[in-house]
Coordinates of all heavy atoms in Angstrom, one line a residue:
Chain A
D56 N 109.3 118.3 119.8 CA 110.1 117.0 119.8 C 111.6 117.4 120.0 O 112.2 118.0 119.1 CB 109.9 116.3 118.4 CG 110.6 115.0 118.3 OD1 111.4 114.7 119.3 OD2 110.4 114.3 117.4
G57 N 112.1 117.0 121.1 CA 113.5 117.4 121.4 C 114.5 117.0 120.4 O 115.6 117.5 120.4
R58 N 114.2 116.0 119.6 CA 115.1 115.5 118.6 C 115.2 116.3 117.4 O 116.1 116.1 116.5 CB 114.8 114.1 118.2 CG 114.6 113.1 119.4 CD 113.9 111.8 119.0 NE 112.7 112.1 118.2 CZ 112.0 111.2 117.6 NH1 112.4 109.9 117.6 NH2 110.9 111.5 117.0
T59 N 114.3 117.3 117.2 CA 114.2 118.0 116.0 C 115.5 118.9 115.8 O 115.9 119.6 116.7 CB 113.0 118.9 116.0 OG1 111.8 118.2 116.3 CG2 112.8 119.6 114.6
P60 N 116.1 118.8 114.6 CA 117.3 119.6 114.4 C 117.0 121.0 114.2 O 115.8 121.4 114.0 CB 117.9 119.0 113.1 CG 116.6 118.5 112.4 CD 115.6 118.1 113.4
T61 N 118.0 121.8 114.2 CA 117.9 123.2 113.7 C 118.6 123.4 112.4 O 119.2 122.4 111.9 CB 118.4 124.2 114.8 OG1 118.0 125.5 114.4 CG2 119.9 124.1 114.9
C62 N 118.4 124.5 111.8 CA 118.9 124.7 110.4 C 120.4 124.3 110.3 O 120.8 123.6 109.3 CB 118.8 126.2 110.0 SG 117.2 127.0 110.4
T63 N 121.2 124.7 111.2 CA 122.7 124.5 111.1 C 123.0 123.0 111.3 O 124.1 122.6 110.9 CB 123.4 125.4 112.0 OG1 122.9 125.2 113.4 CG2 123.4 126.8 111.6
D64 N 122.1 122.2 112.0 CA 122.4 120.8 112.1 C 122.5 120.1 110.7 O 123.3 119.2 110.6 CB 121.3 120.1 112.9 CG 121.4 120.5 114.4 OD1 122.5 120.8 114.9 OD2 120.4 120.5 115.1
C65 N 121.7 120.6 109.8 CA 121.8 120.0 108.5 C 122.6 120.8 107.5 O 123.4 120.2 106.7 CB 120.4 119.9 107.9 SG 119.2 118.9 108.9
H66 N 122.6 122.1 107.6 CA 123.3 123.0 106.6 C 124.6 123.4 107.1 O 125.4 124.1 106.3 CB 122.4 124.2 106.3 CG 121.1 123.9 105.6 ND1 121.1 123.7 104.2 CD2 119.9 123.8 106.0 CE1 119.9 123.4 103.8 NE2 119.1 123.5 104.9
G67 N 125.0 123.1 108.3 CA 126.3 123.5 108.8 C 126.3 124.9 109.4 O 125.3 125.6 109.1
E68 N 127.3 125.2 110.1 CA 127.3 126.6 110.7 C 127.3 127.7 109.7 O 126.8 128.8 109.9 CB 128.5 126.7 111.7 CG 128.4 125.8 112.9 CD 127.2 126.2 113.8 OE1 126.8 127.4 113.8 OE2 126.6 125.3 114.3
S69 N 128.0 127.4 108.5 CA 127.9 128.3 107.4 C 128.3 129.8 107.7 O 127.5 130.7 107.4 CB 126.5 128.3 106.8 OG 126.1 127.0 106.5
E70 N 129.4 129.9 108.4 CA 129.7 131.3 108.9 C 129.9 132.3 107.7 O 129.5 133.4 107.8 CB 131.0 131.2 109.7 CG 130.9 130.4 111.0 CD 129.9 131.0 112.0 OE1 129.5 132.2 111.8 OE2 129.4 130.3 112.9
K71 N 130.5 131.8 106.6 CA 130.7 132.7 105.5 C 129.4 133.2 104.9 O 129.2 134.4 104.5 CB 131.6 132.1 104.4 CG 133.0 131.9 104.8 CD 133.8 131.3 103.6 CE 135.2 131.0 104.0 NZ 135.9 130.2 103.1
H72 N 128.5 132.3 104.9 CA 127.1 132.6 104.4 C 126.4 133.6 105.3 O 125.9 134.6 104.9 CB 126.3 131.3 104.2 CG 124.9 131.5 103.8 ND1 124.6 131.6 102.5 CD2 123.8 131.5 104.5 CE1 123.3 131.7 102.4 NE2 122.7 131.7 103.6
V73 N 126.5 133.3 106.6 CA 125.8 134.1 107.6 C 126.4 135.5 107.7 O 125.7 136.5 107.8 CB 125.8 133.4 108.9 CG1 125.2 134.2 110.0 CG2 125.0 132.0 108.9
N74 N 127.7 135.5 107.7 CA 128.4 136.8 107.9 C 128.6 137.6 106.7 O 129.3 138.7 106.7 CB 129.8 136.5 108.6 CG 129.6 135.9 110.0 OD1 128.6 136.2 110.6 ND2 130.5 135.0 110.3
H75 N 128.1 137.2 105.6 CA 128.3 137.9 104.3 C 127.7 139.3 104.4 O 126.5 139.5 104.9 CB 127.6 137.2 103.2 CG 127.7 137.9 101.9 ND1 128.9 138.1 101.2 CD2 126.8 138.5 101.2 CE1 128.6 138.7 100.1 NE2 127.4 139.1 100.0
K76 N 128.4 140.3 104.0 CA 127.9 141.7 103.9 C 127.9 142.1 102.5 O 128.7 141.6 101.7 CB 128.8 142.6 104.7 CG 129.0 142.2 106.2 CD 127.8 142.4 107.0 CE 128.1 142.0 108.5 NZ 127.0 141.7 109.2
G77 N 127.0 143.0 102.1 CA 127.0 143.5 100.8 C 125.8 143.1 100.0 O 125.0 142.2 100.5
S78 N 125.6 143.6 98.8 CA 124.4 143.3 98.1 C 124.6 142.2 97.1 O 123.6 141.8 96.5 CB 124.0 144.6 97.3 OG 125.1 145.0 96.5
D79 N 125.8 141.7 96.9 CA 126.0 140.6 96.0 C 125.5 139.3 96.6 O 125.2 139.2 97.8 CB 127.4 140.5 95.5 CG 128.3 140.3 96.7 OD1 128.0 140.8 97.8 OD2 129.4 139.6 96.6
K80 N 125.5 138.2 95.8 CA 125.0 137.0 96.3 C 125.9 136.4 97.3 O 127.1 136.3 97.1 CB 124.8 136.0 95.1 CG 123.7 135.0 95.2 CD 123.5 134.2 93.9 CE 122.5 133.2 94.1 NZ 122.2 132.4 92.9
P81 N 125.4 136.0 98.5 CA 126.3 135.4 99.5 C 126.8 134.0 99.1 O 126.2 133.4 98.2 CB 125.4 135.3 100.7 CG 124.1 135.2 100.2 CD 124.0 136.0 98.9
P82 N 128.0 133.6 99.6 CA 128.4 132.2 99.4 C 127.4 131.2 99.9 O 126.6 131.6 100.8 CB 129.7 132.1 100.1 CG 129.8 133.3 101.0 CD 128.8 134.3 100.6
K83 N 127.4 130.1 99.3 CA 126.4 129.1 99.7 C 126.6 128.6 101.2 O 127.7 128.7 101.7 CB 126.5 127.9 98.8 CG 126.1 128.2 97.4 CD 125.2 127.2 96.8 CE 124.6 127.7 95.5 NZ 123.5 126.9 95.0
A84 N 125.6 128.0 101.7 CA 125.8 127.4 103.1 C 126.8 126.3 103.0 O 127.1 125.8 101.9 CB 124.4 126.9 103.5
D85 N 127.3 125.9 104.1 CA 128.3 124.8 104.1 C 127.8 123.5 103.5 O 128.6 122.8 102.8 CB 128.7 124.4 105.6 CG 129.5 125.6 106.2 OD1 129.8 126.5 105.5 OD2 129.7 125.5 107.5
R86 N 126.6 123.2 103.7 CA 126.0 122.0 103.1 C 124.7 122.3 102.5 O 123.8 122.8 103.1 CB 125.8 121.0 104.3 CG 125.9 119.6 103.9 CD 125.5 118.7 105.1 NE 126.6 118.3 105.9 CZ 126.5 118.2 107.2 NH1 125.4 118.5 107.9 NH2 127.5 117.8 108.0
T87 N 124.6 122.1 101.2 CA 123.4 122.4 100.4 C 122.9 121.1 99.8 O 123.6 120.1 99.7 CB 123.6 123.4 99.4 OG1 124.6 122.9 98.4 CG2 124.0 124.7 99.9
F88 N 121.6 121.1 99.5 CA 120.9 119.8 99.1 C 120.2 120.0 97.8 O 119.5 119.0 97.4 CB 120.0 119.4 100.2 CG 120.6 119.2 101.5 CD1 120.8 120.2 102.4 CD2 121.1 117.9 101.9 CE1 121.4 120.0 103.6 CE2 121.7 117.7 103.1 CZ 121.9 118.8 104.0
D89 N 120.3 121.1 97.1 CA 119.6 121.3 95.9 C 120.2 120.5 94.7 O 121.3 119.9 94.9 CB 119.5 122.8 95.5 CG 120.9 123.4 95.4 OD1 121.6 123.5 96.4 OD2 121.2 123.7 94.2
K90 N 119.5 120.5 93.6 CA 120.0 119.7 92.5 C 121.4 120.0 92.0 O 122.1 119.2 91.5 CB 119.0 119.9 91.3 CG 118.9 118.7 90.4 CD 117.8 118.9 89.4 CE 117.9 117.8 88.3 NZ 116.9 118.1 87.2
K91 N 121.7 121.3 92.2 CA 123.0 121.8 91.7 C 124.1 121.9 92.8 O 125.1 122.6 92.7 CB 122.9 123.1 91.0 CG 122.0 123.0 89.7 CD 122.0 124.3 89.0 CE 121.2 124.1 87.6 NZ 121.1 125.3 86.9
S92 N 123.8 121.2 93.9 CA 124.7 121.3 95.1 C 126.1 120.8 94.7 O 126.2 119.8 94.0 CB 124.1 120.5 96.2 OG 125.0 120.4 97.2
K93 N 127.1 121.4 95.3 CA 128.4 121.0 95.2 C 128.9 120.1 96.4 O 130.0 119.7 96.5 CB 129.4 122.2 95.1 CG 129.2 123.1 93.9 CD 129.8 122.5 92.7 CE 129.8 123.4 91.5 NZ 130.2 122.7 90.3
T94 N 128.0 120.0 97.3 CA 128.3 119.2 98.5 C 128.3 117.7 98.1 O 127.3 117.2 97.5 CB 127.2 119.4 99.6 OG1 127.0 120.8 99.9 CG2 127.6 118.7 100.9
P95 N 129.4 117.0 98.4 CA 129.4 115.6 98.1 C 128.2 114.9 98.7 O 127.8 115.2 99.8 CB 130.8 115.1 98.7 CG 131.6 116.3 98.8 CD 130.6 117.5 99.1
V96 N 127.8 113.8 97.9 CA 126.6 113.1 98.4 C 126.7 112.5 99.7 O 125.8 112.6 100.6 CB 126.2 112.0 97.3 CG1 125.2 111.1 97.8 CG2 125.8 112.7 96.0
E97 N 127.9 112.0 100.0 CA 128.1 111.4 101.3 C 127.9 112.4 102.5 O 127.3 112.1 103.5 CB 129.5 110.7 101.4 CG 129.5 109.4 100.7 CD 130.9 108.7 100.8 OE1 131.8 109.3 101.5 OE2 131.1 107.7 100.1
A98 N 128.4 113.6 102.2 CA 128.3 114.6 103.2 C 126.8 115.1 103.4 O 126.3 115.3 104.5 CB 129.1 115.8 102.8
R99 N 126.1 115.1 102.3 CA 124.7 115.4 102.3 C 123.9 114.3 103.2 O 123.1 114.6 104.0 CB 124.1 115.5 100.9 CG 124.3 116.8 100.2 CD 123.7 116.8 98.9 NE 124.6 116.7 97.8 CZ 124.3 116.5 96.5 NH1 123.1 116.5 96.2 NH2 125.3 116.5 95.6
N100 N 124.2 113.1 102.8 CA 123.5 112.0 103.5 C 123.9 111.9 105.0 O 123.1 111.5 105.8 CB 123.8 110.7 102.8 CG 123.1 110.6 101.4 OD1 122.3 111.5 101.1 ND2 123.5 109.6 100.6
D101 N 125.1 112.3 105.3 CA 125.6 112.3 106.7 C 124.6 113.1 107.6 O 124.3 112.8 108.7 CB 127.0 112.8 106.9 CG 128.0 111.7 106.5 OD1 127.6 110.5 106.4 OD2 129.2 112.0 106.3
A102 N 124.2 114.2 107.0 CA 123.3 115.1 107.7 C 122.0 114.4 108.1 O 121.5 114.6 109.2 CB 122.9 116.3 106.9
C103 N 121.5 113.5 107.2 CA 120.3 112.8 107.5 C 120.6 111.6 108.5 O 119.8 111.3 109.4 CB 119.7 112.3 106.2 SG 119.4 113.6 105.0
L104 N 121.7 110.9 108.2 CA 122.0 109.7 108.9 C 122.4 110.0 110.4 O 122.4 109.2 111.2 CB 123.2 109.0 108.2 CG 122.8 108.3 106.9 CD1 124.0 107.9 106.1 CD2 121.8 107.2 107.1
N105 N 122.7 111.3 110.6 CA 123.0 111.7 112.0 C 121.9 111.3 112.9 O 122.0 110.9 114.1 CB 123.2 113.2 112.1 CG 124.7 113.5 112.0 OD1 125.6 112.7 112.2 ND2 125.0 114.8 111.6
C106 N 120.7 111.3 112.4 CA 119.5 111.0 113.2 C 118.8 109.7 112.7 O 118.2 109.0 113.4 CB 118.4 112.1 113.2 SG 119.0 113.6 113.9
H107 N 118.9 109.5 111.3 CA 118.1 108.4 110.7 C 118.9 107.2 110.3 O 118.6 106.5 109.4 CB 117.4 108.9 109.5 CG 116.4 110.0 109.8 ND1 115.2 109.8 110.3 CD2 116.5 111.4 109.6 CE1 114.5 110.9 110.4 NE2 115.3 111.9 110.0
Q108 N 120.0 106.8 111.1 CA 120.8 105.7 110.7 C 120.1 104.4 111.3 O 120.4 103.3 110.7 CB 122.2 105.8 111.3 CG 123.1 104.6 111.0 CD 123.5 104.5 109.6 OE1 124.5 105.1 109.2 NE2 122.8 103.7 108.8
G109 N 119.3 104.5 112.3 CA 118.8 103.3 112.9 C 117.5 102.7 112.2 O 117.1 103.2 111.1
G110 N 116.9 101.7 112.8 CA 115.7 101.2 112.3 C 115.8 100.7 110.8 O 116.6 100.0 110.5
K111 N 114.9 101.3 110.0 CA 114.8 100.9 108.6 C 115.9 101.4 107.7 O 116.1 101.0 106.6 CB 113.5 101.3 108.0 CG 112.3 100.6 108.7 CD 111.0 100.9 108.0 CE 109.9 100.0 108.6 NZ 108.6 100.2 108.1
H112 N 116.8 102.3 108.3 CA 117.9 102.8 107.5 C 119.2 102.2 107.9 O 120.3 102.7 107.5 CB 117.9 104.3 107.6 CG 116.6 105.0 107.4 ND1 115.8 105.5 108.3 CD2 116.0 105.2 106.2 CE1 114.7 106.0 107.8 NE2 114.8 105.8 106.5
M113 N 119.2 101.1 108.6 CA 120.4 100.5 109.2 C 121.4 100.1 108.1 O 122.6 100.2 108.2 CB 119.9 99.2 109.9 CG 121.0 98.6 110.8 SD 120.8 99.0 112.5 CE 119.3 98.2 112.9
N114 N 120.8 99.6 107.0 CA 121.7 99.1 105.9 C 121.9 100.0 104.7 O 122.2 99.6 103.7 CB 121.2 97.7 105.5 CG 120.9 96.8 106.6 OD1 121.8 96.5 107.4 ND2 119.6 96.5 106.9
W115 N 121.6 101.3 105.0 CA 121.6 102.3 103.8 C 122.9 102.2 103.1 O 123.0 102.2 101.9 CB 121.3 103.7 104.3 CG 121.7 104.7 103.3 CD1 122.7 105.6 103.4 CD2 121.0 105.0 102.1 NE1 122.8 106.4 102.3 CE2 121.7 106.1 101.5 CE3 119.8 104.5 101.5 CZ2 121.3 106.6 100.3 CZ3 119.4 105.1 100.3 CH2 120.2 106.1 99.7
Q116 N 124.0 102.2 103.9 CA 125.4 102.3 103.2 C 125.6 101.2 102.3 O 126.4 101.3 101.3 CB 126.5 102.4 104.3 CG 126.6 103.8 104.9 CD 125.7 104.0 106.1 OE1 124.7 103.3 106.3 NE2 126.0 105.0 106.9
S117 N 125.0 100.0 102.5 CA 125.3 98.9 101.5 C 124.1 98.8 100.5 O 124.0 97.8 99.8 CB 125.5 97.6 102.3 OG 124.6 97.4 103.3
S118 N 123.2 99.7 100.5 CA 122.1 99.7 99.5 C 122.6 100.1 98.1 O 123.6 100.8 98.0 CB 121.0 100.6 99.9 OG 121.4 101.9 99.7
T119 N 121.9 99.7 97.1 CA 122.3 100.1 95.7 C 122.2 101.6 95.5 O 123.1 102.2 94.9 CB 121.3 99.4 94.7 OG1 121.4 98.0 95.0 CG2 121.7 99.7 93.3

Side-chain angles (χ1 to χ4, degrees):
Chain A
D56 181 354
R58 306 168 306 171
T59 307
T61 191
C62 311
T63 51
D64 287 333
C65 301
H66 291 281
E68 291 299 325
S69 310
E70 295 299 341
K71 285 182 184 170
H72 176 82
V73 172
N74 296 327
H75 176 73
K76 307 286 182 201
S78 56
D79 58 328
K80 211 171 177 180
K83 296 225 171 192
D85 290 352
R86 206 186 271 144
T87 59
F88 301 87
D89 59 295
K90 206 175 171 186
K91 295 184 175 179
S92 170
K93 296 281 187 191
T94 307
V96 169
E97 281 178 8
R99 278 181 255 175
N100 290 349
D101 280 348
C103 306
L104 292 168
N105 267 339
C106 298
H107 297 283
Q108 179 71 84
K111 293 186 172 177
H112 308 105
M113 190 101 65
N114 309 297
W115 166 255
Q116 280 86 345
S117 46
S118 72
T119 304

